[in-house]
Amino acid sequence: MSDVRAEQASSTEEPAGGESVFTVIVAAAANLGIALAKAVAGVISGSSAMLSEAAHSFADTVTELLLLTSLKRSEKPADEEHPLGYGGERYVWAMLAAVATFVGGAVFSLYDGIHTLVAGEDLGDPLVSYIVLAVAFVLEGFSLRTAVRQARGEAARVGAPFRRYLRRTPDTAVKAVVLEDSAALAGLLFAAGGLLGGQLTGSGVWDGIASLCIGGLLLWVAWVLGRSNAELLVGRPLPQQVRAEIRELLLDVEHVEAVLELTTLVQGPREALVAAKVDFRDASTAAQIEWACEDAARRLRERFPSVRRVYLDPTPGFAQRRSEGLNPW
């Protein structure tokens, strides 16, 4: 039941698009400054874990820029070339952001970790790295706090547990920031552990292991985000409970006998499409059927504000098709 409520955020509430943009901008600004600081600290200390963290932050910066692009382009209104709107662009760019996390962060971190374990490394003064890690932890924590606050607010509005909301929400921009910032904080702890292990033992093995852990963490984040966006690109329906409510709402409309087929599609965090084959009463006039369709569309939009497009196809019922010798489907 909680999973249904979590996904209903896309069908019953209007998430604040401005909040998503602010959340992504905060994350992008924090990641860019942190990336530069980590790169300098990595060069000074000779730490592969710090260089992996620098790659991680640069990848996150690219990710945030792609997410900003997705937010802006998906807001374009429908036109002649794209009659169903541009909502799907959000998930295309978000998918590219997941690829950037994989290529820019995970691959480099894994390579650097393996290289360190095989070839070794000369450890320099770790003091600068510790300072950078501490500052980065504060900045990443602030960015994560902003994203979590938005996600918790939206989850509370639909009465869903935070984790389930995060798993099912179609607002992949906020989901990406929460996951990436959480991974960033964990990565900072791995890097600090690698530095401390190297300082205590004089061996670069700990630093290499830290890099591998960071790479593995980024692989997981890229997989989760990639899978979420792929599911939405392929086409995800509204939750089963919402579909059942839509069916009941259509059946309550005057002149409607049965809903023979119902198709729903999530097109974005604030966009959904509903299409149905509807059996109207045989005695209904063409005008009555037209007005019934208008009434059904109005009711659906009032109940589910994110349902932007409603297409109803008057279709003979099963009994009538059989009586006329037609294929019942």
Side-chain angles (χ1 to χ4, degrees):
M1 193 68 174
S2 298
D3 286 336
V4 170
R5 286 190 187 135
E7 195 168 347
Q8 272 184 312
S10 70
S11 54
T12 61
E13 297 288 338
E14 287 280 358
E19 284 186 44
S20 296
V21 172
F22 175 73
T23 297
V24 174
I25 289 175
V26 168
N31 281 322
L32 181 58
I34 291 168
L36 295 172
K38 286 177 182 175
V40 172
V43 171
I44 293 175
S45 65
S47 168
S48 67
M50 284 302 296
L51 291 176
S52 295
E53 272 298 295
H56 179 177
S57 294
F58 275 120
D60 282 354
T61 303
V62 173
T63 295
E64 312 308 342
L65 293 176
L66 289 171
L67 290 176
L68 279 174
T69 302
S70 77
L71 291 172
K72 291 299 183 183
R73 290 190 63 84
S74 65
E75 290 174 354
K76 294 169 62 178
D79 54 33
E80 235 179 276
E81 297 297 323
H82 296 84
L84 296 181
Y86 291 80
E89 282 215 40
R90 175 184 291 253
Y91 304 123
V92 173
W93 290 96
M95 175 66 83
L96 292 176
V99 173
T101 298
F102 171 75
V103 175
V107 172
F108 178 85
S109 298
L110 292 172
Y111 167 79
D112 204 37
I114 293 172
H115 181 268
T116 298
L117 291 176
V118 173
E121 67 180 9
D122 297 323
L123 298 175
D125 185 1
L127 178 60
V128 175
S129 294
Y130 283 129
I131 294 173
V132 169
L133 288 175
V135 174
F137 198 89
V138 172
L139 293 176
E140 294 283 11
F142 174 73
S143 176
L144 177 62
R145 178 173 171 268
T146 302
V148 168
R149 177 181 292 178
Q150 179 187 347
R152 283 192 183 281
E154 293 174 6
R157 282 198 291 272
V158 295
F162 171 70
R163 289 184 181 179
R164 290 196 176 102
Y165 171 81
L166 199 63
R167 188 172 68 245
R168 297 299 298 171
T169 178
D171 192 349
T172 52
V174 173
K175 181 175 184 174
V177 174
V178 171
L179 288 180
E180 287 170 358
D181 285 349
S182 298
L185 291 176
L188 292 172
L189 295 177
F190 284 137
L195 285 171
L196 183 60
Q199 191 177 8
L200 294 176
T201 64
S203 171
V205 170
W206 295 100
D207 212 37
I209 293 174
S211 290
L212 292 177
C213 289
I214 293 168
L217 186 65
L218 291 176
L219 275 179
W220 176 78
V221 171
W223 164 253
V224 171
L225 293 179
R227 185 180 59 181
S228 297
N229 286 289
E231 186 181 65
L232 288 159
L233 279 172
V234 170
R236 190 170 84 188
L238 292 172
Q240 184 176 357
Q241 182 176 324
V242 176
R243 299 198 301 271
E245 192 171 342
I246 289 174
R247 186 180 291 272
E248 289 299 319
L249 189 150
L250 291 174
L251 289 172
D252 286 341
V253 174
E254 189 178 5
H255 302 292
V256 172
E257 284 285 344
V259 178
L260 306 175
E261 184 180 323
L262 177 65
T263 301
T264 65
L265 179 66
V266 175
Q267 295 183 293
R270 298 178 298 281
E271 285 188 60
L273 177 147
V274 173
K277 287 182 175 291
V278 179
D279 178 20
F280 290 92
R281 293 174 185 166
D282 295 339
S284 300
T285 66
Q288 288 173 327
I289 291 175
E290 289 172 353
W291 282 110
C293 290
E294 287 297 311
D295 184 37
R298 178 186 58 79
R299 293 190 190 190
L300 282 173
R301 293 189 181 105
E302 287 178 356
R303 176 64 185 89
F304 304 106
S306 67
V307 173
R308 303 293 179 86
R309 298 170 184 88
V310 179
Y311 302 107
L312 301 180
D313 179 14
T315 307
F318 295 110
Q320 184 179 348
R321 295 180 70 87
R322 286 196 185 97
S323 68
E324 296 181 7
L326 300 175
N327 184 355
W329 300 118

